[in-house]
Amino acid sequence: MEQGNDKLELVYGVEDKPSPLKSAYAALQHLLAIIVGIITPTLIIGGALGLGERIPYLISMSLIVSGVATFIQTKRIGPIGSGLLSVQGTSFAFLGAILTAGFIVKGQGGGPDEILATIFGISFVGAFIEIVLSRFLHILKGIITPVVTGTVVMLIGLSLVKAGITDMGGGKWLLDNKPELFGSAQNLGLGVLVLVVVLVLNRSKNPMIRMSSIVGGIMVGYLVAWYMGIVNFGYMTGLPFVNIPIPFNYGFAFNWTAFIGVAFIYLITTIESTGDLTATSMLSGEPVEGEIYMERIKGGVLGDGVNSAIAAVFNTFPNTTFSQNNGVIQMTGVASRFVGMYLAVFLVILGLFPVIGGFFRSLPNPVLGGATIVMFGTVAAAGVNIIASMGRLGRREMLIVAVALGIGIGLAFVPEVLSQTPKAIQQIFGSAITSGGLAALILNLVLPKTES
């Protein structure tokens, strides 16, 4: 049975139990890798739909639910969860579909509460699509092959790289509002400093130093940014002391027109999560084929669906496995699922006490970019490894990878090519993951497997 990665490369394997101090330290690095990723979709949705004073509460709920979801994935409760160090968080893949749903309700005269009630209602119902599909992955394994999952993982990593390099330049807000300051020597220098520190620490032969590479790079960058006077402590003021989760705090509503786009993305995230979980299994030194592997994947995708339903109940957006944490596993050599349980506790605490989350939000964009650019790159490299696990690729497999990457990355570079299509098509297929993943899936179905 094929193993994903040489176990000698790992400091701790899936079932190893590091000491509480080491587990907490490793969990902190995963936290730094995802904290902004969990918060950002809520900020984007809240700003675009005019949700105003509801945004801080929604952010708290996203952190709490991510903690609960990560615990379910890593603990594996019955058939639910992968039993790997699979970290869950608010999914970027749903952004377009959720914004479309919100604008539909807004166009019908709905206010912020009606918008949120509909979004969480359709997200809750849609979660059962992924729950049902998870039970049939063993039947679909002839369709969702390493070529498909590897290509999707590559597209995920390559798509995330754009966010990392944008942060190194100063962040999306700076690019959109003050482009003359974007990419300044100060921002790029700070990002490169963090990147260099991460690389130097990661190449150490000392396991503890290697484990601390991401935290070390970010802390050095944070201290330098503080000395330069560019740390925004405003994120830590004006926040409530504690936020309490209230089921369906904004009500529950359903809209068929708004549901279609969200339902389609649940189908796509089934494929995306299969790729993510395959990468996690490989980087953890676990099988990437066979019965154990399939049970992990089915449990992980089922966990995705269940966790997205929980997210809707507790007033946040659909959850999925986070690709960037595979980069953390690769960089630190720590694949212990018990680290995920510590991370889950951290996330819940952050959500309950908003001021702590405010501290992490104060991290300057170039500091985050310098650390995440290498992690996002390793996600893409993990996709290459998944495809390479098949051995020498035939002409058919090369065509699938080439066309899927061409379409996915092409649309990411030139989204204007869809400008004459309906808005819903632009929002769904403008994603490199969606368009490229669908291309790989369809080609894997229609291209003959034998050549005359």
Side-chain angles (χ1 to χ4, degrees), residues 51-215:
L51 302 181
E53 68 275 6
R54 296 163 184 78
I55 294 176
Y57 182 79
L58 296 174
I59 287 175
S60 286
M61 295 307 102
S62 69
L63 290 166
I64 291 172
V65 169
S66 292
V68 172
T70 297
F71 179 83
I72 290 171
Q73 277 285 13
T74 55
K75 174 69 174 177
R76 187 164 193 179
I77 302 172
I80 305 172
S82 65
L84 297 167
L85 182 48
S86 300
V87 178
Q88 296 248 182
T90 313
S91 173
F92 277 87
F94 285 85
L95 270 179
I98 285 175
L99 287 173
T100 300
F103 286 125
I104 288 172
V105 178
K106 198 171 186 177
Q108 295 171 348
D113 285 355
E114 289 78 14
I115 290 171
L116 289 171
T118 302
I119 288 173
F120 297 141
I122 61 178
S123 295
F124 179 80
V125 175
F128 289 91
I129 295 173
E130 193 169 7
I131 289 171
V132 171
L133 286 174
S134 72
R135 302 297 84 197
F136 297 97
L137 289 179
H138 61 290
I139 298 173
L140 299 174
K141 65 182 179 181
I143 301 171
I144 307 176
T145 63
V147 168
V148 175
T149 55
T151 302
V152 171
V153 171
M154 270 197 289
L155 287 167
I156 292 167
L158 294 172
S159 299
L160 289 170
V161 163
K162 181 180 179 181
I165 204 73
T166 301
D167 278 338
M168 283 187 73
K172 188 70 165 59
W173 184 90
L174 196 67
L175 176 62
D176 291 340
N177 296 278
K178 294 185 178 181
E180 69 277 5
L181 299 179
F182 183 79
S184 66
Q186 173 181 277
N187 289 335
L188 291 178
L190 192 56
V192 170
L193 170 66
V194 174
L195 173 60
V196 170
V197 172
V198 170
L199 292 175
V200 170
L201 295 179
N202 185 257
R203 296 313 300 161
S204 171
K205 294 181 180 179
N206 185 310
M208 281 299 295
I209 295 177
R210 180 184 170 193
M211 286 172 58
S212 69
S213 59
I214 298 166
V215 170

Side-chain angles (χ1 to χ4, degrees), residues 13-16 74-76 83-85 335-341:
V14 171
E15 298 298 335
D16 293 336
T74 55
K75 174 69 174 177
R76 187 164 193 179
L84 297 167
L85 182 48
S336 170
R337 65 191 181 96
F338 299 97
V339 169
M341 299 176 195

